[in-house]
Amino acid sequence: MAGKSGAEGGAGIDPMHQFEVHPIIELPSIAGIDTSFTNSSLWMVLAVGLASLFMIFASRRTAIVPGRMQLMGEMAYSFIANMIKENVGTEGMKYFPFIFSLFMFILFCNMLGMLPYSFTVTSHLIVTFALAATVFLLITGVGFARHGIGFLKLFVPSGIPVFLLPLLVLIEVISYLTRPVSLSVRLFGNMMAGHTMLKIFGGFVVGLGSAGLVPLAIAPFALMVAFTGLELLIAGLQAYVFTILTCIYLNEAIHMDH
Amino acid sequence: MPQLDPSTFGTQLFWLGICFVALYLVMAFAVLPRIAGTLHARAAQLDDDLAEAEALREKAETALAAYEEALAEARSRALTLAQNMRAEVQAETDRQKAELDAKLAEQAQAAEAAMSKARDEAMLGLSDAAAAIVGDVMDAIGTAKADDAAVAKAVKTVAAE
């Protein structure tokens, strides 16, 4: 609604417009997959490039007494390493590079999405679902690799009357299979909702301002500033949530303690 | 909602794959081992430093114990020395006192002896004199010839009373 009123003001503000994917460089399809370099691809490459540059620069010095950059890199490292050690244990450190990359990728995509005129990679369900599905497949693979067919015991709760078992096993299987969905929708929903809201308030500010009602535009502007702070928090928090849920699922697959 | 347009799924998945694998390779092989090495080296250095500090502390404690032992020994030696000295002085004093006492006692004895001798002599002279006086008085009265020996005996008897 607000978007439409903003669009009448000539600014062309459609809160969903920011999520549109459009090609920058058209590339041929390979095996039926469109490989065009889009704005989404651009921001993915930027996120990965910045994350890599940051971490490479942060790990360039290996002094015993760290400098500022080195300390930031080590803090990022210890943050994820401690998360894995606390939630999974030392066996989980085998998957540390994957989980660290996952965290950095989501964090940088979320944070770059906060820049004006940028594109938020993680506001697309297909991207978050691909990440969540990767996590799901990896963890299921780890579970079967470690416990063999015994991994299926994960779906059989202990201390339950036999006549209830079929129902509970069904529930357990469904809850296990919906994990990638909940994991991906949580991240996608947070990112999309936040950016849509920011855009709507931005539309208010521009609409009221261009209609000559500048004093009235102060309220949505103040709200927008506050929400921008909140969105920054959410951008970090959702990266954290995605990562820690990955750790919790991994712990279950490794230790099978339900 | 542009998110539900399947025509963009292919490119997004394709580039997501490339980007994520690239990030994973950089992190797993370039960045994380270096940071792990640094953290490990730091932990090792800290352990070394702590061990060294512990060794130094033990050394300091040993030195302190040795110092305290030496101090206690010196103190006990000083105490013994002082005790010996005191005992010596006490013995010397006692000896001198005893000597003095003995000398004084001897002198007192001698003085007492001399005194009693002088008194005896004086007493002897006195009875002689009394006997002579009694003899002279009897002569003067002229009643009887004074017997010197009887007079002396009578005087002695009276004096003894």
Side-chain angles (χ1 to χ4, degrees):
Chain A
M1 284 181 286
K4 272 173 194 153
S5 68
E8 280 163 21
I13 297 167
D14 168 13
M16 298 315 257
H17 174 77
Q18 58 176 324
F19 301 122
E20 265 167 31
V21 177
H22 52 83
I24 298 172
I25 306 164
E26 299 270 8
L27 291 171
S29 294
I30 300 170
I33 299 167
D34 180 17
T35 61
S36 295
F37 192 76
T38 62
N39 52 343
S40 170
S41 323
L42 173 69
W43 287 97
M44 275 182 209
V45 170
L46 279 177
V48 165
L50 272 175
S52 302
L53 273 183
F54 168 65
M55 288 312 291
I56 287 170
F57 195 61
S59 64
R60 209 170 36 121
R61 285 181 70 225
T62 55
I64 291 297
V65 178
R68 265 174 270 177
M69 274 308 278
Q70 194 191 337
L71 189 65
M72 286 207 284
E74 283 169 9
M75 278 166 73
Y77 182 101
S78 312
F79 179 61
I80 301 298
N82 290 338
M83 194 193 286
I84 295 176
K85 278 179 201 147
E86 279 164 24
N87 290 294
V88 189
T90 39
E91 303 102 314
M93 286 308 279
K94 235 191 325 182
Y95 311 100
F96 174 62
F98 174 74
I99 292 172
F100 188 81
S101 308
L102 198 63
F103 176 73
M104 286 312 249
F105 184 76
I106 297 172
L107 183 70
F108 271 77
C109 286
N110 289 357
M111 285 299 180
L112 284 179
M114 291 306 296
L115 293 175
Y117 295 104
S118 73
F119 178 87
T120 316
V121 176
T122 44
S123 68
H124 271 260
L125 186 56
I126 186 69
V127 172
T128 60
F129 185 76
L131 290 174
T134 311
V135 167
F136 177 78
L137 290 177
L138 175 94
I139 284 170
T140 308
V142 167
F144 276 112
R146 285 183 77 100
H147 306 289
I149 203 75
F151 183 57
L152 291 176
K153 273 190 231 141
L154 192 69
F155 303 120
V156 186
S158 55
I160 296 292
V162 179
F163 65 91
L164 272 178
L165 263 184
L167 183 66
L168 280 165
V169 168
L170 186 70
I171 291 173
E172 289 284 342
V173 170
I174 290 174
S175 90
Y176 187 81
L177 291 179
T178 49
R179 272 179 188 177
V181 178
S182 69
L183 199 55
S184 56
V185 169
R186 184 181 299 111
L187 177 57
F188 147 75
N190 271 287
M191 286 302 115
M192 189 193 68
H195 283 80
T196 310
M197 190 168 63
L198 282 183
K199 202 73 171 193
I200 289 170
F201 278 104
F204 274 139
V205 176
V206 173
L208 290 168
S210 59
L213 298 167
V214 176
L216 281 181
I218 289 172
F221 184 73
L223 268 177
M224 218 183 128
V225 171
F227 277 129
T228 305
L230 184 70
E231 282 306 308
L232 279 171
L233 178 75
I234 287 175
L237 193 68
Q238 286 304 319
Y240 172 75
V241 167
F242 198 99
T243 318
I244 200 154
L245 282 174
T246 302
C247 289
I248 289 168
Y249 297 157
L250 184 63
N251 177 47
E252 220 176 76
I254 289 180
H255 296 119
M256 296 212 29
D257 43 0
H258 205 39
Chain B
M1 247 166 94
Q3 281 92 337
L4 300 179
D5 175 9
S7 70
T8 65
F9 287 1
T11 161
Q12 290 197 72
L13 290 176
F14 177 74
W15 284 98
L16 174 67
I18 290 180
C19 289
F20 192 76
V21 168
L23 182 70
Y24 177 82
L25 293 177
V26 170
M27 293 299 151
F29 296 105
V31 170
L32 298 179
R34 277 179 76 89
I35 296 181
T38 313
L39 292 178
H40 189 76
R42 184 176 305 146
Q45 170 101 51
L46 276 177
D47 284 351
D48 282 2
D49 286 359
L50 283 177
E52 199 182 331
E54 181 65 22
L56 285 174
R57 197 177 64 82
E58 264 167 29
K59 227 161 110 182
E61 266 172 13
T62 317
L64 187 68
Y67 161 77
E68 266 169 8
E69 200 180 321
L71 195 68
E73 200 191 307
R75 195 173 288 147
S76 78
R77 242 165 58 193
L79 200 66
T80 323
L81 218 63
Q83 266 168 356
N84 288 349
M85 190 64 100
R86 197 179 300 134
E88 236 168 73
V89 168
Q90 187 71 42
E92 176 69 14
T93 320
D94 285 353
R95 194 183 58 75
Q96 281 181 0
K97 191 162 160 264
E99 216 169 73
L100 199 64
D101 280 354
K103 216 157 116 188
L104 285 176
E106 198 177 299
Q107 276 176 3
Q109 224 168 12
E112 211 172 301
M115 229 156 67
S116 71
K117 196 179 160 199
R119 198 192 57 194
D120 287 355
E121 269 169 18
M123 288 296 276
L124 207 61
L126 203 64
S127 56
D128 280 355
I133 291 168
V134 170
D136 285 352
V137 169
M138 282 171 72
D139 282 349
I141 297 168
T143 50
K145 181 71 182 137
D147 180 0
D148 281 353
V151 169
K153 200 182 171 189
V155 168
K156 237 174 202 164
T157 311
V158 173
E161 281 169 6

